Amino acid sequence: MLQKFIDRPVLSTVIAILIVILGVIGLQTLPLQQFPDIAPPAVQVVALYPGANAETVLRSVAPSLEEAINGVENMSYMSSTASNDGSLVITVNFKLGTDPDRAAVNVQNRVSQATSQLPQEVVQAGIQTTKKQNSLLMVVDLYTENEKQYDQTFLNNYAQINIIPDIKRIPGVGQAVIFGGNKDYSMRVWLNPSKMANYKLSAQEVLGAIQDKNLEAAPGRFGESSKQAFEYVIKYKGKLNQPLEYENIVIHSNADGSVLRLKDVARVEFGSYTYGSSTRIDGKSGLNIGIFQLPGSNSSDVQIAIKEMMEKASKDFPKDVKHLILYNTKDSLDLSIEQVEPYFDRSLHIGVYCSFLIPSGF
């Protein structure tokens, strides 16, 4: 075989040039990523049981979901993790080569079969089924230099509305999440145990009163499907959105005409959904946005687009709100390419030199 290339130098030259051209095309078109995509696809199921500890979650939530998910098509194995904040994370790993989109749909169908067996609080909180992205691409930090005016909850809410949707729209981004738990705005009701004991109230009774008075409804119309000349649409205020409105919720009324309101047994404030974690950046309140890459996308192009988007978005940031790139894989990728390019250029020069040298011997 080697003798054929020695006897036919023109053929050898053409093959060498063709290999060089294909190498140049591959260098320009192949996706760039820090590590090869060899990890098997995985689907993550996240359930939340507010107020429950890890043992309660493992007893009342995990068995139903695990039994329903077990045996899904092309599944290799799965693992579950329960935390004392009431969260349950089930990771379902599939065989290499399985379509992750199809796997996520199959798992979601299995999860829906177990919904009726779960506590109502878990169903109301929602169960998330998503493809698990293993390649962390970047970590973008958002922080404030004026903590009195902008706290971590404000930053979280601002990022959820103005930053994360733009990041998710960038081609090649698989997922963008805020590390450190749910910090969304919520109405916090802090119950006073001693006052509740005086009125012989339980937390469940207070919760029932809040749910009964705070709901969305379709009141309908006056005169609908009748012989009247006009129809009047009934407007309903809907859910409450101010602390004072919650404070005036009537828990129950007494025989003498007096009423017991929520403010008599609790303190209501507009705060964060959870206080289980805190993020500090250089001693200032902040948050971390983790960005994951879609398989097969160009890591370098995605990170350049994210940086450009953040620079553009930073022009509209509130005063004293800043951002920085805490972590990215582009720096190591660029260094790796810089180390490879000199050898590539040298090989290209040698290949071209040989292509002109060999035919000249004829």
Side-chain angles (χ1 to χ4, degrees), residues 3-4 15 39 41 57 64 68 87 104 118 148 150 154 168 200 205 209-210 213 231 242 261 279 291 296 299 326:
Q3 187 64 33
K4 293 183 179 181
I15 294 175
V57 172
S64 300
S87 63
L118 300 176
K148 294 182 179 179
Y150 306 117
F154 172 86
K168 289 182 177 179
K200 297 180 180 180
E205 290 179 285
I210 295 175
K213 304 297 190 303
E231 289 185 2
Q242 297 295 329
R261 300 183 184 276
T279 304
I291 304 170
S299 174
L326 178 67

Short mmCIF file of all heavy atoms in Angstrom, two decimals, residues 3-4 15 39 41 57 64 68 87 104 118 148 150 154 168 200 205 209-210 213 231 242 261 279 291 296 299 326:
data_model
loop_
_atom_site.label_atom_id
_atom_site.label_comp_id
_atom_site.label_asym_id
_atom_site.label_seq_id
_atom_site.Cartn_x
_atom_site.Cartn_y
_atom_site.Cartn_z
N GLN A 3 3.85 1.47 -1.16
CA GLN A 3 4.58 1.57 -2.41
C GLN A 3 3.77 2.34 -3.46
O GLN A 3 4.35 3.04 -4.31
CB GLN A 3 4.90 0.15 -2.92
CG GLN A 3 5.81 0.12 -4.14
CD GLN A 3 7.19 0.67 -3.84
OE1 GLN A 3 7.70 0.52 -2.72
NE2 GLN A 3 7.81 1.29 -4.82
N LYS A 4 2.43 2.23 -3.40
CA LYS A 4 1.59 2.96 -4.37
C LYS A 4 1.76 4.47 -4.22
O LYS A 4 1.80 5.19 -5.21
CB LYS A 4 0.13 2.56 -4.19
CG LYS A 4 -0.17 1.12 -4.57
CD LYS A 4 -1.67 0.82 -4.43
CE LYS A 4 -1.95 -0.62 -4.84
NZ LYS A 4 -3.41 -0.95 -4.74
N ILE A 15 -3.98 13.89 -2.29
CA ILE A 15 -4.57 13.42 -1.04
C ILE A 15 -4.14 14.30 0.13
O ILE A 15 -4.94 14.64 1.00
CB ILE A 15 -4.20 11.95 -0.79
CG1 ILE A 15 -4.85 11.05 -1.86
CG2 ILE A 15 -4.63 11.51 0.61
CD1 ILE A 15 -4.45 9.59 -1.76
N ALA A 39 -21.21 12.15 27.99
CA ALA A 39 -22.08 11.80 29.12
C ALA A 39 -23.44 11.35 28.59
O ALA A 39 -23.99 11.94 27.66
CB ALA A 39 -22.25 13.00 30.05
N PRO A 41 -27.48 10.96 28.33
CA PRO A 41 -28.53 11.94 28.63
C PRO A 41 -29.21 11.63 29.94
O PRO A 41 -29.31 10.47 30.36
CB PRO A 41 -29.48 11.80 27.44
CG PRO A 41 -29.23 10.44 26.89
CD PRO A 41 -27.79 10.15 27.13
N VAL A 57 -40.58 13.91 52.98
CA VAL A 57 -40.54 13.87 51.51
C VAL A 57 -40.26 12.45 51.03
O VAL A 57 -40.88 11.97 50.06
CB VAL A 57 -39.48 14.86 50.99
CG1 VAL A 57 -39.29 14.69 49.48
CG2 VAL A 57 -39.88 16.29 51.30
N SER A 64 -43.92 7.28 45.31
CA SER A 64 -44.89 7.32 44.21
C SER A 64 -44.23 7.70 42.89
O SER A 64 -44.49 7.10 41.84
CB SER A 64 -46.01 8.31 44.54
OG SER A 64 -46.69 7.94 45.71
N ALA A 68 -43.47 5.17 39.57
CA ALA A 68 -44.05 5.52 38.27
C ALA A 68 -42.96 5.66 37.20
O ALA A 68 -43.15 5.25 36.05
CB ALA A 68 -44.85 6.81 38.39
N SER A 87 -37.57 19.78 49.28
CA SER A 87 -37.36 19.52 47.86
C SER A 87 -36.93 18.08 47.62
O SER A 87 -36.24 17.47 48.45
CB SER A 87 -36.31 20.47 47.28
OG SER A 87 -35.05 20.26 47.91
N ALA A 104 -37.34 13.04 27.98
CA ALA A 104 -38.04 13.98 28.87
C ALA A 104 -39.55 13.82 28.76
O ALA A 104 -40.27 13.88 29.77
CB ALA A 104 -37.62 15.41 28.55
N LEU A 118 -49.91 11.96 45.10
CA LEU A 118 -49.05 12.89 45.82
C LEU A 118 -49.89 13.81 46.70
O LEU A 118 -51.07 14.06 46.43
CB LEU A 118 -48.23 13.72 44.83
CG LEU A 118 -47.30 12.93 43.90
CD1 LEU A 118 -46.63 13.88 42.92
CD2 LEU A 118 -46.26 12.16 44.70
N LYS A 148 -29.29 48.92 50.86
CA LYS A 148 -30.47 49.50 51.48
C LYS A 148 -31.60 49.67 50.47
O LYS A 148 -32.77 49.59 50.83
CB LYS A 148 -30.13 50.84 52.12
CG LYS A 148 -29.16 50.74 53.30
CD LYS A 148 -28.90 52.10 53.91
CE LYS A 148 -27.96 52.00 55.10
NZ LYS A 148 -27.68 53.33 55.71
N TYR A 150 -31.56 48.06 47.14
CA TYR A 150 -31.75 46.85 46.34
C TYR A 150 -31.22 45.65 47.13
O TYR A 150 -30.02 45.54 47.35
CB TYR A 150 -31.02 46.95 45.01
CG TYR A 150 -31.36 48.19 44.20
CD1 TYR A 150 -30.39 49.14 43.91
CD2 TYR A 150 -32.65 48.41 43.75
CE1 TYR A 150 -30.70 50.27 43.17
CE2 TYR A 150 -32.97 49.53 43.01
CZ TYR A 150 -31.98 50.46 42.73
OH TYR A 150 -32.30 51.58 42.01
N PHE A 154 -34.84 41.68 45.26
CA PHE A 154 -35.02 42.58 44.13
C PHE A 154 -34.16 42.13 42.95
O PHE A 154 -34.62 42.11 41.80
CB PHE A 154 -34.66 44.01 44.53
CG PHE A 154 -34.64 44.98 43.38
CD1 PHE A 154 -35.79 45.60 42.96
CD2 PHE A 154 -33.45 45.24 42.71
CE1 PHE A 154 -35.77 46.49 41.88
CE2 PHE A 154 -33.42 46.12 41.63
CZ PHE A 154 -34.58 46.74 41.22
N LYS A 168 -31.82 32.94 27.60
CA LYS A 168 -32.40 31.70 27.08
C LYS A 168 -32.67 31.78 25.58
O LYS A 168 -32.72 30.74 24.91
CB LYS A 168 -33.70 31.37 27.83
CG LYS A 168 -33.49 30.94 29.27
CD LYS A 168 -34.81 30.59 29.92
CE LYS A 168 -34.61 30.07 31.34
NZ LYS A 168 -35.90 29.74 32.02
N LYS A 200 -57.27 29.38 70.27
CA LYS A 200 -57.46 27.96 69.95
C LYS A 200 -57.52 27.74 68.44
O LYS A 200 -58.42 27.09 67.91
CB LYS A 200 -58.73 27.42 70.62
CG LYS A 200 -58.68 27.48 72.14
CD LYS A 200 -59.96 26.93 72.76
CE LYS A 200 -59.89 27.00 74.27
NZ LYS A 200 -61.14 26.47 74.91
N GLU A 205 -56.18 25.99 59.99
CA GLU A 205 -57.36 26.85 59.95
C GLU A 205 -57.03 28.20 59.35
O GLU A 205 -57.80 28.76 58.55
CB GLU A 205 -57.93 27.03 61.36
CG GLU A 205 -58.58 25.77 61.93
CD GLU A 205 -59.10 26.00 63.33
OE1 GLU A 205 -58.26 26.06 64.27
OE2 GLU A 205 -60.32 26.12 63.49
N ALA A 209 -58.49 29.80 55.79
CA ALA A 209 -59.13 31.11 55.68
C ALA A 209 -58.47 31.94 54.59
O ALA A 209 -59.15 32.65 53.82
CB ALA A 209 -59.06 31.83 57.02
N ILE A 210 -57.14 31.88 54.51
CA ILE A 210 -56.42 32.64 53.47
C ILE A 210 -56.80 32.13 52.08
O ILE A 210 -57.06 32.91 51.16
CB ILE A 210 -54.90 32.55 53.70
CG1 ILE A 210 -54.52 33.25 55.02
CG2 ILE A 210 -54.15 33.17 52.54
CD1 ILE A 210 -53.06 33.10 55.38
N LYS A 213 -60.38 33.26 51.08
CA LYS A 213 -60.57 34.68 50.77
C LYS A 213 -59.67 35.18 49.65
O LYS A 213 -59.87 36.28 49.13
CB LYS A 213 -60.29 35.52 52.03
CG LYS A 213 -61.12 35.13 53.25
CD LYS A 213 -62.60 35.34 53.03
CE LYS A 213 -63.39 35.18 54.32
NZ LYS A 213 -63.19 33.85 54.96
N GLU A 231 -76.27 43.49 28.87
CA GLU A 231 -75.57 42.56 29.74
C GLU A 231 -74.48 43.33 30.49
O GLU A 231 -73.81 44.18 29.91
CB GLU A 231 -74.92 41.42 28.94
CG GLU A 231 -75.90 40.43 28.36
CD GLU A 231 -75.19 39.26 27.69
OE1 GLU A 231 -73.94 39.25 27.74
OE2 GLU A 231 -75.86 38.39 27.12
N GLN A 242 -51.65 43.15 48.56
CA GLN A 242 -51.08 44.09 49.51
C GLN A 242 -51.10 43.49 50.91
O GLN A 242 -52.06 42.78 51.28
CB GLN A 242 -51.87 45.41 49.50
CG GLN A 242 -51.83 46.18 48.19
CD GLN A 242 -50.43 46.66 47.85
OE1 GLN A 242 -49.63 46.95 48.74
NE2 GLN A 242 -50.15 46.75 46.55
N ARG A 261 -59.36 38.65 62.90
CA ARG A 261 -58.68 38.89 61.63
C ARG A 261 -57.26 38.31 61.69
O ARG A 261 -56.72 38.02 62.76
CB ARG A 261 -58.64 40.38 61.31
CG ARG A 261 -60.03 41.01 61.19
CD ARG A 261 -59.94 42.47 60.79
NE ARG A 261 -61.25 43.10 60.76
CZ ARG A 261 -62.10 43.05 59.73
NH1 ARG A 261 -61.75 42.40 58.63
NH2 ARG A 261 -63.28 43.63 59.81
N THR A 279 -26.42 34.88 49.09
CA THR A 279 -25.27 34.99 48.20
C THR A 279 -24.61 36.34 48.39
O THR A 279 -25.27 37.38 48.34
CB THR A 279 -25.69 34.83 46.73
OG1 THR A 279 -26.37 33.58 46.56
CG2 THR A 279 -24.48 34.87 45.81
N ILE A 291 -25.30 29.18 33.51
CA ILE A 291 -25.72 29.02 32.11
C ILE A 291 -25.15 27.71 31.59
O ILE A 291 -23.94 27.47 31.68
CB ILE A 291 -25.24 30.20 31.25
CG1 ILE A 291 -25.76 31.52 31.83
CG2 ILE A 291 -25.70 30.04 29.80
CD1 ILE A 291 -25.16 32.75 31.19
N GLY A 296 -23.70 20.02 21.13
CA GLY A 296 -23.44 20.30 19.72
C GLY A 296 -23.32 21.76 19.35
O GLY A 296 -23.02 22.08 18.20
N SER A 299 -19.41 26.57 21.72
CA SER A 299 -19.23 27.17 23.04
C SER A 299 -18.69 28.59 22.95
O SER A 299 -19.14 29.49 23.66
CB SER A 299 -18.29 26.31 23.88
OG SER A 299 -17.98 26.93 25.11
N LEU A 326 -18.16 35.55 36.50
CA LEU A 326 -17.43 34.82 37.53
C LEU A 326 -16.67 33.64 36.96
O LEU A 326 -15.55 33.35 37.38
CB LEU A 326 -18.40 34.35 38.61
CG LEU A 326 -17.80 33.54 39.76
CD1 LEU A 326 -16.86 34.40 40.58
CD2 LEU A 326 -18.90 32.96 40.64
#
